[in-house]
Amino acid sequence: MEEKMTLQEFLDYLNSGKTVTAGSVQHQYMCRLSDEAQRLTAELNCAYRTPEEIREIFTRLTGKKVDESFRIFPPFYTDCGKNITVGKNVFFNSGCKVQDQGGIVIGDGTLIGHNVVLATLNHHLEAERRGDILPQPIHIGRNVWIGSNATILPGVTIGDGAVIAAGAVVAKDVPADTIVGGVPAKVIRSIQESQ
């Protein structure tokens, strides 16, 4: 018989950074949330939606009310949804893929380009434990611009005002007011040097 857990217990577990063991109660709960997220993203992506309808679906997806300034150009994909927090004036362009089990916080005024991937999970490196999942959060500051096709990896913090170049793979923290690019992403220059 499957043990029960609440959403808050699940989020507390994930946000503690503990390993989610394959087949565990937490893993089973994660699978149920993934099914719900698939249903809600299909509803979001299957037809034209007004900005108001998009915000309403996103609120159900995350379990948190979003500000009227929040915008998404679908399609938008997530395999959880319940561990995303977005500020005001946040914009997702089309094709973004968000793996938020480890937690994603996005500050006010952030712009996220086409096909950006935000990934908060890794798998265990030992082959016998490869099904185990290791959550780490992503924190994105205020007024960040993430270019198209960039990938932000687990555990990364992006400082306020930073710019992530298109196609970058960000594996390390990004200082505020800094432009990074490349694979792996490296500092190109500060914003002040660009002006």
Side-chain angles (χ1 to χ4, degrees):
M1 185 164 114
E2 183 180 320
E3 292 184 51
K4 302 291 182 197
M5 82 180 326
T6 67
L7 176 60
Q8 192 57 56
E9 288 170 336
F10 174 72
L11 293 176
D12 289 345
Y13 187 91
L14 287 178
N15 293 335
S16 74
K18 294 177 186 171
T19 299
V20 177
T21 304
S24 66
V25 173
Q26 294 82 10
H27 188 255
Q28 292 170 29
Y29 194 88
M30 184 183 295
C31 291
R32 284 197 306 278
L33 286 182
S34 292
D35 288 343
E36 179 184 346
Q38 288 178 56
R39 180 179 53 77
L40 288 168
T41 55
E43 184 180 335
L44 175 69
N45 298 332
C46 71
Y48 170 77
R49 304 288 180 199
T50 66
E52 295 79 18
E53 290 170 327
I54 289 171
R55 286 192 299 273
E56 187 274 328
I57 295 168
F58 197 82
T59 294
R60 285 190 284 139
L61 181 64
T62 63
K64 302 173 189 115
K65 184 160 177 55
V66 291
D67 190 77
E68 290 183 8
S69 60
F70 175 74
R71 294 291 303 264
I72 290 179
F73 288 175
F76 174 87
Y77 304 97
T78 183
D79 55 2
C80 181
K82 299 298 189 226
N83 214 2
I84 303 171
T85 303
V86 296
K88 296 178 181 176
N89 295 304
V90 169
F91 172 69
F92 280 94
N93 217 322
S94 63
C96 290
K97 296 166 184 73
V98 175
Q99 181 190 57
D100 62 287
Q101 289 92 334
I104 296 174
V105 176
I106 302 171
D108 295 347
T110 289
L111 307 174
I112 301 175
H114 290 92
N115 302 315
V116 166
V117 174
L118 304 177
T120 66
L121 298 178
N122 274 314
H123 288 276
H124 206 286
L125 290 178
E126 292 178 30
E128 303 78 36
R129 297 184 63 196
R130 193 65 45 85
D132 293 354
I133 299 169
L134 310 168
Q136 290 182 289
I138 292 173
H139 295 278
I140 300 170
R142 298 167 59 103
N143 301 311
V144 171
W145 175 20
I146 302 176
S148 296
N149 297 302
T151 299
I152 313 301
L153 295 177
V156 168
T157 296
I158 300 173
D160 293 347
V163 175
I164 311 301
V169 175
V170 183
K172 295 182 180 175
D173 291 353
V174 177
D177 299 314
T178 302
I179 301 169
V180 301
V183 179
K186 294 184 168 86
V187 172
I188 296 171
R189 62 182 178 271
S190 74
I191 300 290
Q192 287 76 21
E193 293 172 11
S194 305
Q195 298 174 353

